[in-house]
Amino acid sequence: MALVTAEDCRKSLDNRAVRLERLVKEGEALHAKGQLTLRNLDALRESALLDLYTSFELFLEDLFFAVLLGSSGISDSGGVVNFSDREQAEEILTGGNQYLIWLPFDKNGKGVLPLAKRLLKDGRPFTRIERHKDELDTLEELRIVRNAIAHRSSSARAALEPFVTHLRQRRRTAAGLLEQVRQGQSQYESYSATVRQIGVALASAEDALARKFLSPERPYAPKANAPTGRYRCTRCAKRHQIRAKTAALPACPVCRKGRAKGQPKVAQEWDRVYA
Ligand SMILES: [Zn+2]
């Protein structure tokens, strides 16, 4: 069997997501013609979301093993331990009986990011979205919506509350949320688009390319550990370069002097510069 590349993983995620988007569209068209009840359309949207979520989990899993086994094609990536094949890797990592948890992406030491940090070189490519709040927030929201559909428990419904309070009383459900249209796009389509976008970013061969598909990165505070690269002070634009694999960023030397002269105390941070 041919080795799995990151691009294979992305294509398969994309195919599934596109198929589901089409299914939801067809359901909406039938509903508009009076050929599908709202109740059934709700059920269709909810099962599409469960399927989308599972597809993304599968993508993370396949990508993780492709990187671990060195077949991903992503530059500077690989495992910190060598395994002969995926079967052996899975057996050793799961200890035979537990299973690996891919989502949440990163929460209380669980998820694909902590796993990647332990087993993959520099945690790549999963660390690519570590500082991208928009994407991480959407993934967490998606998990909450998915749990509200899959578990229907009172705690799962309570977690959904903040996302549906603005909806009409009778539509304060996962299906009601998925139906909501903003700027011509339904919430379902918006989740699907974000998932596909994250897929592209994680599977890109290069970090700089991946960045084009992501929201702005959260800046780094002085003293924070940051990876190799160039940085720009958010207050005065002074540049700083890190040549080591990772190093702590300093406080900006220019701003530190300025502050002594009584400049307003805006927290100084560092933006990572890619260009
Ligand atoms: Zn500065």
Side-chain angles (χ1 to χ4, degrees), residues 22-32 36-37 41 44:
R22 237 180 258 146
L23 194 66
V24 170
K25 280 263 177 239
E26 278 174 31
E28 286 167 352
L30 286 176
H31 175 66
L36 188 72
T37 61
L41 177 59
L44 179 69

Side-chain angles (χ1 to χ4, degrees), residues 131 217-234 238-253 256 268-273:
R131 302 188 70 82
E217 219 176 14
R218 211 152 32 83
Y220 292 74
K223 292 186 190 163
N225 273 318
T228 319
R230 283 174 297 164
Y231 296 82
R232 182 175 49 216
C233 172
T234 53
K238 182 180 167 53
R239 300 282 185 132
H240 179 77
Q241 186 156 14
I242 291 182
R243 291 177 204 278
K245 212 171 91 177
T246 61
L249 284 160
C252 170
R256 208 170 35 191
Q268 179 260 317
E269 293 181 302
W270 298 98
D271 279 329
R272 192 166 173 191
V273 187

Side-chain angles (χ1 to χ4, degrees), residues 193-240:
T194 304
V195 161
R196 290 167 65 189
Q197 190 110 334
I198 293 174
V200 174
L202 291 179
S204 294
E206 307 287 338
D207 285 355
L209 184 63
R211 224 187 118 261
K212 293 186 181 153
F213 298 95
L214 297 169
S215 66
E217 219 176 14
R218 211 152 32 83
Y220 292 74
K223 292 186 190 163
N225 273 318
T228 319
R230 283 174 297 164
Y231 296 82
R232 182 175 49 216
C233 172
T234 53
R235 289 178 69 195
C236 74
K238 182 180 167 53
R239 300 282 185 132
H240 179 77

Side-chain angles (χ1 to χ4, degrees), residues 88-223:
Q88 187 204 36
E90 281 194 71
E91 198 173 306
I92 292 171
L93 297 183
T94 60
N97 48 26
Q98 339 140 263
Y99 50 96
L100 300 166
I101 292 170
W102 309 103
L103 289 172
F105 197 82
D106 175 25
K107 200 173 188 187
N108 308 327
K110 276 196 256 173
V112 66
L113 185 64
L115 194 65
K117 283 182 171 179
R118 274 190 285 133
L119 291 158
L120 307 180
K121 280 183 207 159
D122 302 327
R124 288 153 60 85
F126 299 96
T127 39
R128 281 176 182 168
I129 64 168
E130 189 177 16
R131 302 188 70 82
H132 293 269
K133 194 175 177 302
D134 288 357
E135 285 78 0
L136 293 177
D137 284 352
T138 303
L139 288 181
E140 183 56 14
E141 188 177 319
L142 201 58
R143 193 176 71 87
I144 288 167
V145 177
R146 180 257 176 201
N147 285 348
I149 297 167
H151 304 318
R152 301 195 180 271
S153 64
S154 55
S155 66
R157 272 206 310 264
L160 184 71
E161 263 308 281
F163 303 101
V164 295
T165 43
H166 61 291
L167 299 175
R168 278 181 295 131
Q169 183 83 44
R170 291 173 62 89
R171 299 299 288 161
R172 284 179 199 164
T173 59
L177 178 63
L178 296 175
E179 173 190 36
Q180 217 208 355
V181 176
R182 249 181 285 164
Q183 290 163 338
Q185 192 180 43
S186 75
Q187 188 59 56
Y188 179 84
E189 289 173 307
S190 160
Y191 286 145
S192 182
T194 304
V195 161
R196 290 167 65 189
Q197 190 110 334
I198 293 174
V200 174
L202 291 179
S204 294
E206 307 287 338
D207 285 355
L209 184 63
R211 224 187 118 261
K212 293 186 181 153
F213 298 95
L214 297 169
S215 66
E217 219 176 14
R218 211 152 32 83
Y220 292 74
K223 292 186 190 163

